[in-house]
Structure formats: C-alpha cells, structure tokens
Amino acid sequence: MLTRMKTASLQGVNGYPVTVETDLHRGMPGFQIVGLADTTIKEAFSRIRPAIINSGYRFPREKVTVNLSPAGKPKEGSHFDLPIALGILLLTLGEEAQIEDTAFFGELSLDGKINPIRGALPLALCARKAGVHNIVLPLQNCEEAAVLEDVNIIPVSDLTQAICCVKDPQTAAPYKKKKHVEEAHSDLDFSEVIGQEYGKRALMIAAAGDHGILMMGGPGCGKTMMARRIPSILPRLSYEEQLELTGIYSVAGMLPEDEPVITSRPFRSPHHSISMAGLIGGGQKPRPGELSLAHRGVLFLDELGEFEGRAIDAMRQPVEDGFIRLNRNLEEIIFPSEVMIVAAANPCKCGNLWDEKKTCTCSSAQICSHMRKLTGPFADRIDMHVRVAQVAGKDLKEREEKNKGMTSAQMREKVVEARRIQEERYRGMPHRENGWLEESEIIRYCLPDQGGQELLRQAYEKMGLTMRAYWKICKIARTIADLEGKEAIGMPEVAEALQFRIMEKEMKRNGA
C-alpha cells in the first residue's frame, strides 16, 4: 500500500517540489525515512506517533517507509510532519482521497496541534508554480500565504481537521484574507534636515538610479540623519517585490506577526562588529544575511572604516552581481542582494581632518591607514562619493525663517518619475535601474553627446580615473538626465556627475 502527498523543500529563499511517498507493509514494526532528510525530518517519528495517538487514531504496527522524492536533493524543515502523518493515516484508515491538486505543510505537536512553520510563502509559491491549486497550511501562516490570489489557502489547526480536509475536500473552506496591509508611513522627512541641499540632491540622484553612495564628513554633520530618510523618497514596492521580500523574511524567521506581508522597502543598518556570515548570509544551515534582508531597499553601513575588512571585501561581488552564491556540500544556494548601498565614514579617526574650525589629532600614518580602508576595492564599486560639510550658520538662519528646503514628498515625486522612465527604457531587460547596467548596456543607453564625451575624456586623463569609474560617471549622468526629463546626456549632466567622483582623488592622495 502506498500514498503520495505533495509538499516542497526550501533551497535558500526558493523552494522545489517534493513528493512524500509513504509505504506500509508487513514486517517488524519500524519507521524509516529515506531521501537525504536532515535531522529535523528524521526526528519526525517522535512527533508523528504521539500526535496520531493523541488525536484518537491508531498508529500502525507494521513497517512504515517514507521516501522523499527526488531522493538526490537535500531536504530540511519540520513542515514535512503533516504530509508524512497524513500519508500514514490514509493507509491506516484505508481511505482514498483526491489530493493530486493539494500540497501540505505543517509541524506537529505531540498533542496533534499544528504549529506554524518558517518559509510558508516561498513554499506556497513553489507549490503554485508546480501547478497546485490547494495549499493546506497552519492557521498562523495563512495570512502570510493569502497574498497569493490564484490559489486556495486552507487553514488547519490540528491533525483531525487536516484528515477531514483530505477525506472530504468539500469541508475545507479556503482562508479569507483579514488584513488589508498598506505601506507603512514614515515619520522621517528630508525637510527636517537643516541645510545639506547638496547632500540631499546627491541622495535623490542615488535613489532615482539605485546607485550606491558613500558620504564622508565629520561627526554630527548629518550623514546618518540623511541616510535614515532615504526610504521616504523610494518608490512603492510592486506586488512581485512584496512577494519576494516577504519570502526572504519568512525564510529568515523575521516576519513580524503584525505584518504578514512586507509592504515597505527595507532599511537595514548593521553594527560594524557584524560577522561576515551575518552580513552576506551563510551558516551551517544557510540563512539570509543583511545584504539579502535589505534586498530592494537600503543597506546602510555607518562608520564604514570600522567594519572588518574581510566582511567588507566579501560584499564586493554580491554588490555588483545582485545575488550571493553559497556552495554547501551537495547544493548551491542563491540569495538575492539587489540593494542600494549607503555608506558613511569620517575622513579620519578623530573626524576633524576636513574641518577648518577644529584641529585634527591624527598622525599621518593614522590618516593613511584610515583612508586606505575607505579607498579599497569595495569603495571603488560604490557609484557616488559625496563630501558632507558641517551645517553653515546661514542654513540655521534660513531654518529660523522656516525655509525648510525640499521635502521627502517633493523628492519622491522626482524619483518615481525617473524610475518610470527607466522602467520603460529597459522593458524586457533583467534590470530596471541605471545603477545595475552592464558595460554593453551603458554604451547603448548612457553615452553623452559630443561635448559631454570630450569633457569626460579630459576628466579621465586629469583625474586618473579607472574604467570602472568612467562607466559609473556615465550611469550617474544618465540618471541626472532622467531626473531632468532629458533624453540626451549633455555637458551639464556629465559635469554634475563628475562632482561625485572628485572626492575619490583627494581620498586616494590622503591614503597614499
């Protein structure tokens, strides 16, 4: 006798279909699971047997063999409890069920209750992609998975309810979504930033093209204050992006109970003592790191010079590729990492190097060592470098006169329009923002007119730019033109884009 139940297993933040085959035959009583199951699945017998007995059913005294197909791929997760238990119960009760169109996920308690699981949305997405239209989930996970509008999410609270759904599908009422989740409103606004119009302009350009940006300046000049307001000018998440982000946070076990769907772009600000695995992801059972948790949003690296060099160097390739590839024994795991890198740093240890009113107490060797960390390969991959000065007295006077400058709403309107232009231009391409263009795409879409190219050529020779910096200036100029609603890239756009790489030469000179 044999039953087949559909489920799935996670591989990173994605899933793949798994069929749970349960066989019951005469012989010495026993329980065996095959198919590269992890320890959590192999311990399922200790949960399933008491759950079945405490739910009022008989556990078979025959030999039970469970095969997880495909057998050659590793599988993990306690959500296999429910399909295994249901397969055993169908064989014990001698029941027939129409379950070809249904997938099952759930962890069992010893009393037969069904506990919530991690990664419910990615598992449900995998089942939907495999053609399943009915998904049985623990009640606590249903609000999360109900974001999928073209499948029936069936909630179950205990094993008895689950077996009733299998024996009589007509009694299984689909879950009705209770909450209408809207984007969280941020109380942070750029109008609260005194002065720093140049920095606000740079951040608006960075947000419009999804460019990375490094802000350097003394303590208290407003770097962190401006960085924390970047989400207030970013476009809303699309439906697909919400699914993607919710899946990542679900796999990481960080999905808030009061927010079953991620609707706001993430802003992650890890402490500089974070490990490499915590930053890029990994571990014995790989979990998403800060790079993936900031996917489609902002990763803010405050005090960049204080981060461990090994952790920062490990970010170089993921920042350019937009994903992290981890190889663990028999499998390759990919975590997404399309993030807007925002870094902040002091020009020296004491922070007073560029301050005309304060004296720098750092030695030449200390300044060189500090600058060398900031001008390394990782910083070279950040598109924009901005020098942030202390707030001037005239800016304080303007604030007293209630002249607040640009607000987040005004900046967001410009950013959204620039992103719309890029989305139309790159329709059908893998990326939709200027910051992610490859060299061949830059040549096609971002080369300036004749005057702009001449200015760029002169700057290349005089400033000692690398080709990487050359292409980044072209991308920034393209974004500036999009913000201004221009199709052609001229000298004004190139000149402004060059301002965001001028500081690089000064940094390298100090770090020499």
Side-chain angles (χ1 to χ4, degrees), residues 384-400:
M384 302 171 65
H385 297 166
V386 180
R387 180 170 174 173
V388 182
Q390 292 289 347
V391 178
K394 64 180 182 65
D395 294 326
L396 290 173
K397 185 176 180 180
E398 289 179 359
R399 171 51 59 92
E400 292 172 358

Side-chain angles (χ1 to χ4, degrees), residues 203-243:
L203 290 174
M204 184 172 67
I205 294 170
D210 211 13
H211 301 286
I213 184 169
L214 168 62
M215 298 182 287
M216 288 191 65
C221 64
K223 304 185 296 293
T224 302
M225 185 179 186
M226 289 191 290
R228 293 190 180 280
R229 282 155 177 76
I230 294 175
S232 67
I233 66 173
L234 293 175
R236 298 177 184 272
L237 289 171
S238 66
Y239 174 71
E240 291 75 16
E241 290 172 334
Q242 289 182 18
L243 292 181

Side-chain angles (χ1 to χ4, degrees), residues 253-362:
M254 298 176 62
L255 198 62
E257 292 184 5
D258 59 343
E259 189 180 1
V261 180
I262 301 296
T263 58
S264 302
R265 293 189 181 272
F267 180 90
R268 304 293 299 180
S269 180
H271 190 262
H272 57 73
S273 61
I274 190 172
S275 66
M276 184 174 71
L279 196 57
I280 68 169
Q284 186 175 2
K285 290 185 177 181
R287 291 288 182 263
E290 291 292 334
L291 259 177
S292 298
L293 294 173
H295 183 60
R296 304 293 185 192
V298 176
L299 179 63
F300 178 44
L301 304 175
D302 202 2
E303 302 296 345
L304 180 64
E306 302 300 324
F307 279 80
E308 183 186 353
R310 184 165 165 263
I312 290 296
D313 288 340
M315 293 176 60
R316 284 152 50 183
Q317 186 173 350
V319 165
E320 287 202 323
D321 295 343
F323 61 87
I324 303 152
R325 194 188 304 272
L326 300 173
N327 292 299
R328 292 291 185 273
N329 297 328
L330 300 173
E331 58 182 341
E332 180 181 77
I333 297 172
I334 295 177
F335 292 130
S337 63
E338 290 188 26
V339 301
M340 177 182 172
I341 295 290
V342 180
N346 295 332
C348 64
K349 279 287 185 181
C350 72
N352 299 329
L353 179 64
W354 294 341
D355 197 323
E356 298 176 355
K357 299 179 181 180
K358 296 180 182 178
T359 303
C360 177
T361 59
C362 302

Side-chain angles (χ1 to χ4, degrees), residues 190-197 200 394-407 410:
F190 270 101
S191 63
E192 300 163 349
V193 179
I194 299 176
Q196 303 296 7
E197 293 302 314
K200 290 165 68 173
K394 64 180 182 65
D395 294 326
L396 290 173
K397 185 176 180 180
E398 289 179 359
R399 171 51 59 92
E400 292 172 358
E401 296 172 355
K402 298 184 179 180
N403 183 7
K404 296 184 178 182
M406 292 187 70
T407 65
Q410 293 170 331

Side-chain angles (χ1 to χ4, degrees), residues 364 367-373 375 505-512:
S364 298
I367 294 174
C368 287
S369 176
H370 185 77
M371 282 292 183
R372 199 172 291 119
K373 289 187 73 175
T375 57
K505 186 176 181 180
E506 182 177 355
M507 290 166 58
K508 288 182 178 178
R509 182 173 64 250
N510 288 325

